[in-house]
């Protein structure tokens, strides 16, 4: 779906416009245009009261890309579209029109093909029938070449240094990088609430910990669903780190059904529910999905339970029964290391939640 920014022109200029202006003044060379409409500015620059069905996402809107960004804000660099296979672009007009219209609107480069031969044909047809004018095409080419020249790509190509040596990849994942990742994790992991005062966990007084790990269906990368065992590895690492702290860890996912509450209480001192359900690209929002009846928090009012999101921060809408909730934002080993340390009182939680974390509900704060 198409995103919409419904601010009036003055409010937009004082907020988003201010950000763009400062970036432009600082010399930013490229800007990616989103499939996001801004009706107030489109209508103002068009000089007429457009019907709602005439409102376009920025990537297809000459009033926003050329009129607002390039002319009013004075951006003289390169504009690239957001991913062209996103629905926010598809829904505005037929594909044969939207492909050349993005360039005609003022975008200089087109990000991703849907079908290479077909989209190239649409682009060429748009040039031949005048949707893309000779002037617009030359302007786009000038901007593309200008950005390349400004960062010296032509010189690097002549010198044979356009691509860095393959040996440079060895620095990825080095100890220095891991240290920075750990430092960042220490600062952003957020204890949103602990109204039951469950934390810190003590392996002496709360030695028997049961964990549940809610995984997603996979990740979407470049339009493809990728399923891997990363969730299983993360879960195994969590169990390892908890056991290193001295906890006896039971895998709650091994029991598909609910059972005796008294037996559960007798054998469990605390529960940790990890939510690692990824929603990149395939959903605008993600809701907690319980894959087995036994995972459902039927125990939360009887045994101290912490819900820990390893990805999205707004799961409290589905976890109103929680009294301890933590946002980690990532599921990397460095994040898990810092999280376990904080759960056990080794360091304080330093992250700060924003108001949206409460999802507009009073019961999420309990």
């Amino acid at each position: 779906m198409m995103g919409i920014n419904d601010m009036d022109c003055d409010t937009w200029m004082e907020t988003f416009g201010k950000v763009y202006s400062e970036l432009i003044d600082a010399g930013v060379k490229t800007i990616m245009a989103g499939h996001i409409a801004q009706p107030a500015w489109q209508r103002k620059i068009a000089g007429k009261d457009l019907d709602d069905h005439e409102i376009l996402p920025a990537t297809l809107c000459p009033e926003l890309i050329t009129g607002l960004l390039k002319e009013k804000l004075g951006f003289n660099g390169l504009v690239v579209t957001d991913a062209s296979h996103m629905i926010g672009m598809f829904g505005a007009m037929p594909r044969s029109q939207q492909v050349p219209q993005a360039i005609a609107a003022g975008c200089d480069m087109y990000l991703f093909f849907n079908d290479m031969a077909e989209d190239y044909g649409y682009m060429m047809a748009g040039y031949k029938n005048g949707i893309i004018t000779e002037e617009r095409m030359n302007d786009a080419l000038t901007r593309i070449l200008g950005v390349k020249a400004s960062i010296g790509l032509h010189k690097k190509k002549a010198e044979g240094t356009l691509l860095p040596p393959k040996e440079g990849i060895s620095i990825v994942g080095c100890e220095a990088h891991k240290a920075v990742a750990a430092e960042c994790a220490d600062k952003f992991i957020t204890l949103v609430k602990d109204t039951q005062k469950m934390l810190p966990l003590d392996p002496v007084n709360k030695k028997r910990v049961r964990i549940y790990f809610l995984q997603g269906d996979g990740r979407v990368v470049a339009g493809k669903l990728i399923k891997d065992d990363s969730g299983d590895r993360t879960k195994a690492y969590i169990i390892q780190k908890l056991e290193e702290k001295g906890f006896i860890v039971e895998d709650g996912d091994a029991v598909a059904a609910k059972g005796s509450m008294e037996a559960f209480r007798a054998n469990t001192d605390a529960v940790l529910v990890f939510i690692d359900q990824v929603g990149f690209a395939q959903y605008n929002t993600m809701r907690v999905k319980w894959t087995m009846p036994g995972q459902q928090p039927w125990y939360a009012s009887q045994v101290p339970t912490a819900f820990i999101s390893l990805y999205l921060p707004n799961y409290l809408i589905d976890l109103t029964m929680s009294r301890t909730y933590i946002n980690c934002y990532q599921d990397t080993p460095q994040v898990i290391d810092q999280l376990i340390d904080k759960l056990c009182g080794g360091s304080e939680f330093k992250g700060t939640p924003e108001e949206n974390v409460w999802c507009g509900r009073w019961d999420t704060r309990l």
Side-chain angles (χ1 to χ4, degrees), residues 213-217 228 230-232 235 274 276-277 289 291:
F213 195 89
L214 280 60
Q215 299 188 46
D217 298 322
D228 57 31
S230 60
D232 294 334
K235 178 180 177 179
F274 293 89
D276 199 18
Q277 295 179 332
K289 183 171 71 173
T291 57

Side-chain angles (χ1 to χ4, degrees), residues 3-172:
I4 299 175
N5 184 314
D6 275 326
M7 289 180 176
D8 60 65
C9 294
D10 290 340
T11 303
W12 190 92
M13 284 299 294
E14 293 168 0
T15 53
F16 290 90
K18 184 176 181 180
V19 173
Y20 278 105
S21 294
E22 292 188 0
L23 289 171
I24 291 168
D25 290 344
V28 66
K29 299 178 186 295
T30 64
I31 289 177
M32 175 184 285
H35 309 309
I36 302 172
Q38 217 300 328
W41 268 113
Q42 185 180 349
R43 289 184 168 113
K44 182 173 183 175
I45 294 176
K48 55 183 178 179
D49 189 17
L50 302 171
D51 292 336
D52 288 345
H53 72 270
E54 297 178 276
I55 298 300
L56 294 171
T59 37
L60 301 174
C61 183
E63 291 86 359
L64 298 183
I65 301 300
T66 299
L68 178 57
L69 179 60
K70 292 185 174 180
E71 295 177 358
K72 184 171 182 62
L73 295 177
F75 179 60
N76 195 38
L78 169 69
V79 180
V80 61
T81 72
D82 203 344
S84 72
H85 50 238
M86 296 171 71
I87 301 302
M89 194 173 192
F90 267 98
M93 60 183 66
R95 184 71 172 179
S96 59
Q97 297 176 32
Q98 68 188 238
V99 172
Q101 177 60 26
I103 305 301
C107 296
D108 305 302
M109 290 188 71
Y110 198 77
L111 180 61
F112 298 148
F113 288 116
N114 193 44
D115 178 276
M116 184 177 293
E118 183 177 74
D119 284 349
Y120 182 77
Y122 289 153
M123 193 72 77
M124 287 301 298
Y127 170 66
K128 291 175 181 178
N129 65 26
I131 294 177
I132 302 173
T133 65
E134 192 79 19
E135 180 183 14
R136 173 79 273 268
M137 183 182 69
N138 287 330
D139 177 57
L141 288 172
T142 300
R143 289 169 182 268
I144 293 169
L145 293 173
V147 168
K148 289 183 176 182
S150 72
I151 58 177
L153 292 188
H154 59 302
K155 295 179 181 179
K156 292 180 180 179
K157 183 177 181 180
E159 297 166 353
T161 60
L162 189 60
L163 296 177
K166 293 182 179 180
E167 292 76 18
I169 197 71
S170 63
I171 197 173
V172 175

Side-chain angles (χ1 to χ4, degrees), residues 201-219:
L201 288 178
D202 182 350
V204 175
N205 298 321
K206 288 185 171 61
K207 191 175 187 68
R208 298 165 302 177
V209 174
R210 186 182 300 227
I211 75 163
Y212 295 92
F213 195 89
L214 280 60
Q215 299 188 46
D217 298 322
R219 302 169 188 257

Side-chain angles (χ1 to χ4, degrees), residues 181-182 185-186 188-189 213 230-231 233-242 244-245 272 274-276 308-311 328-344 347 349:
D186 176 48
F188 64 64
I189 296 174
F213 195 89
S230 60
R233 293 198 303 271
T234 301
K235 178 180 177 179
Y237 189 70
I238 290 170
I239 293 174
Q240 173 193 330
K241 302 305 291 186
L242 286 170
E244 288 176 1
K245 288 288 187 180
L272 301 177
F274 293 89
I275 307 162
D276 199 18
I308 303 165
S309 172
L310 299 178
Y311 191 66
C328 291
Y329 314 102
Q330 295 182 13
D331 60 2
T332 65
Q334 291 76 30
V335 170
I336 300 303
D337 289 346
Q338 292 293 327
L339 169 67
I340 301 301
D341 188 53
K342 293 177 186 300
L343 286 174
C344 297
S347 63
F349 288 89

Side-chain angles (χ1 to χ4, degrees), residues 27 37-38 47 58 69 79 102 105 121 149 190 200 203 207 230 261 282 300 303 310 316 321 329 355 358:
Q38 217 300 328
L69 179 60
V79 180
T190 304
K207 191 175 187 68
S230 60
M261 188 70 257
Q282 65 264 47
V303 176
L310 299 178
L316 275 176
M321 78 297 294
Y329 314 102
E355 185 65 22
W358 306 112

